[in-house]
Amino acid sequence: MVSSPPPPPPSGNMDPNPTRRILGLGFWIQGLRCLPWMAINFFLKDGLHVDPSTLQLLQNSANLPMVGKPLYGVVSDAVYISGQHRIPYIAIGAFLQAVSWLAIAILSPSGISIVTLSLCLLLSNLGASIAEVANDAIVAEIGKQPTSPPKNSQSYSSGELQSFVWIASSAGGVLGNLLGGIAINIYGPQAMFLFFSLAVAVQLFIIISVRESSLNLPKSSSRVGIRKQLSELSVALQKPEIAYSITWLAASNAIIPSLTGTMFFYQTQYLNINSSVLGISKVFGQAAMLLWSVIYNRFLKSVPSKKLIAVIQGVMAAFMLSDVLFVKGVYRSMGVPDLLYVIVFSGLLEVLFFFKILPFNILIAQLCPSGCEGSLMALVASATALSFIVSGYLGVALSSFVGVTGSDFSGFPCALLIQAVCTLLPIYWSSCIPDDKKSESRSKKE
C-alpha cells in the first residue's frame, strides 16, 4: 500500500511565522539610520557651516519625537487598524521616514534652510519612533510567551530574541557606517539620504504584505481603550522595581554632559580626520556591539543586571578619562597615532552608552505586567531619549562654559574631565536597580 504524501505547506506563504524576518528587517533598518545621520553631520558642518553648539542643538532637538514614545505605545496597544495593532504602525513609521529623507535628498542644497531641515528631521524621527515602539512591543510580547510551546510552533526566549534583534540592529549599523564613511566623500551627503529613503521604502512594501496573525502574537482576551491602557501603565509604574529602574536609567544618561558635537569638530576640524576614518571607527563600535550581544547571550545572562550595568558605567568613565589624555596629546607623544585612537577608543566609547540597554531591557521585560508591554517598553525608550536630549543640552552648556568653539579647543580637556566625573555618580545609586527574577528565585531555592 502506497502511503499518502505529506500535507502541503500553507499556500502562498513559504514562511508560516515571519517573526524573525519582520523583526530582523525592522531592527536592521533601525541600525542603518546611522547612515543618513552621519551624512547630516557633514552636511551641517561643510554645507551649512554651523558651529559645534548649533550642530549638537539641532541633533538633540531632532530627537524630541522620541520622547512621545509612551503615547505611541499606548495607541498601538489599544487602537487596532484592520484588526492589527503592530504591523500597521511599523508601516506608518516606515512611510514617514521614507518621505522625510526623500525630501531632504531632492531639495536643492542652496535652498535648504535650517528650519526646513529641522522639520524633515523631526518627521523622520517621528516615523522611526513609531516603528521602534511597535517592534519593541513585538519583542516584549513574544519574550513573555512560555518557552515550551505546542508542537510545530516557534518560540523564542526573551534573551534569545533580544540578542537576535540586537545583532540585526548592529549589522545595519556596521553597513551604514561603513557605507557612509566611504561614500560621503565620493557621492555627497544627499546621495546617502536618497539611499536610506529607498531602503525604508523597500521595508514598507515588505511590511504591508504581512498579516499580523502570522506572527503568532499572544491573543488579548479583550481590547482595551486608551484610558484603560493608561490606567494599566500607571499601575505598572506604581511598582517600585519598575519606577526606580527607569528613573535610574534616565538619570544615569541625563547627568552626563554629551560632547559628541564638540568631539566631531575636534576630530574633523582640528585633527583633519576624514569621513572614512570616522566611518571605520563607527564600524568598529558596531562590531563591538555585535560581539557584546554574543558574549552576553552566552556568558553573562546569569550575571545580575544591577552588577553588570554598574560595571559598564564605570568602564564608560574610564574611557572618558582616556579621552582627556587623547585631547592633551599624551597618546600622540607615546607614539600612538590619532587615527588609531579614533578608530578603536572613540568607536568603543560611542557604543558603550548602549551596552547597558541590553541587560536593562531584558530586566524590564521580566518585570513588565501582561497587557502593557508596548506602553512600558515605549516609556523606557522615551525616558532614554529624553535623557540623551538633556545630556546633549548640558553638553552645549558645558562647552560654552569652558570656552570651546569651532576653532578653540583649549578648554576641551576640562570639559571631558567633568564629563567623566559625572559618569561615575550614578554608580552610587545603582541600588535602585532591582535583582533579576531569575536571581531572586535562585536565592530563594538556596
Side-chain angles (χ1 to χ4, degrees), residues 398-416:
L398 178 59
S399 295
S400 300
F401 177 75
V402 298
V404 174
T405 64
S407 56
D408 182 9
F409 297 94
S410 58
F412 196 23
C414 179
L416 289 169

Side-chain angles (χ1 to χ4, degrees), residues 33-93:
R33 291 180 66 234
C34 63
L35 171 62
W37 280 99
M38 178 190 289
I40 280 290
N41 287 337
F42 286 94
F43 185 76
L44 288 170
K45 183 177 79 75
D46 301 325
L48 300 182
H49 306 290
V50 302
D51 55 40
S53 296
T54 303
L55 172 69
Q56 190 158 319
L57 279 173
L58 182 58
Q59 285 178 332
N60 288 278
S61 298
N63 288 327
L64 286 172
M66 298 289 184
V67 181
K69 280 188 173 183
L71 175 61
Y72 318 144
V74 169
V75 172
S76 70
D77 281 342
V79 179
Y80 285 64
I81 302 175
S82 299
Q84 306 174 98
H85 70 142
R86 301 302 181 208
I87 293 295
Y89 292 98
I90 298 176
I92 292 171

Side-chain angles (χ1 to χ4, degrees), residues 110-371:
S110 59
I112 297 180
S113 65
I114 291 290
V115 175
T116 302
L117 184 62
S118 299
L119 290 176
C120 289
L121 295 178
L122 286 169
L123 183 64
S124 168
N125 277 342
L126 175 61
S129 58
I130 293 173
E132 287 174 13
V133 163
N135 283 320
D136 288 340
I138 293 175
V139 173
E141 285 179 314
I142 294 177
K144 289 177 72 65
Q145 294 187 83
T147 56
S148 56
K151 192 176 181 181
N152 297 330
S153 67
Q154 290 182 327
S155 173
Y156 315 100
S157 69
S158 178
E160 178 189 358
L161 195 57
Q162 284 279 2
S163 296
F164 169 74
V165 298
W166 185 279
I167 290 173
S169 177
S170 298
V174 168
L175 177 62
N177 287 313
L178 188 60
L179 182 62
I182 296 174
I184 286 178
N185 288 334
I186 301 175
Y187 300 106
Q190 288 186 290
M192 303 300 99
F193 305 150
L194 179 60
F195 175 83
F196 182 76
S197 176
L198 294 176
V200 181
V202 171
Q203 181 199 21
L204 173 62
F205 287 118
I206 293 176
I207 287 295
I208 60 179
S209 67
V210 175
R211 292 295 300 176
E212 191 168 306
S213 57
S214 64
L215 303 182
N216 293 334
L217 298 180
K219 298 286 192 301
S220 299
S221 57
S222 61
R223 298 181 188 177
V224 296
I226 292 179
R227 182 175 298 180
K228 177 65 174 178
Q229 196 66 44
L230 287 173
S231 176
E232 291 182 356
L233 178 60
S234 175
V235 171
L237 291 177
Q238 290 175 13
K239 294 186 175 183
E241 63 270 21
I242 293 179
Y244 292 165
S245 297
I246 296 176
T247 301
W248 184 92
L249 179 67
S252 69
N253 293 326
I255 200 173
I256 305 171
S258 175
L259 299 170
T260 53
T262 305
M263 182 60 78
F264 174 76
F265 265 78
Y266 177 79
Q267 293 173 349
T268 58
Q269 194 89 352
Y270 186 79
L271 299 179
N272 294 318
I273 294 175
N274 59 38
S275 62
S276 62
V277 175
L278 294 184
I280 295 173
S281 171
K282 293 179 182 293
V283 167
F284 188 88
Q286 292 292 337
M289 288 182 67
L290 279 168
L291 182 61
W292 165 248
S293 64
V294 174
I295 292 175
Y296 176 82
N297 197 39
R298 291 189 178 182
F299 307 110
L300 299 177
K301 284 195 295 185
S302 61
V303 178
S305 297
K306 178 193 302 185
K307 180 179 179 180
L308 192 58
I309 292 171
V311 169
I312 294 172
Q313 195 79 13
V315 173
M316 287 166 51
F319 271 70
M320 291 172 184
L321 289 174
S322 179
D323 272 356
V324 176
L325 301 179
F326 167 64
V327 173
K328 282 183 169 292
V330 174
Y331 294 127
R332 194 179 307 119
S333 64
M334 295 169 59
V336 179
D338 292 335
L339 298 182
L340 179 62
Y341 184 89
V342 170
I343 290 173
V344 178
F345 287 89
S346 296
L348 282 175
L349 178 57
E350 189 168 332
V351 298
L352 271 175
F353 282 89
F354 303 98
F355 272 33
K356 61 186 177 184
I357 292 180
L358 177 57
F360 187 87
N361 280 349
I362 293 175
L363 174 64
I364 290 295
Q366 293 174 354
L367 301 174
C368 178
S370 180

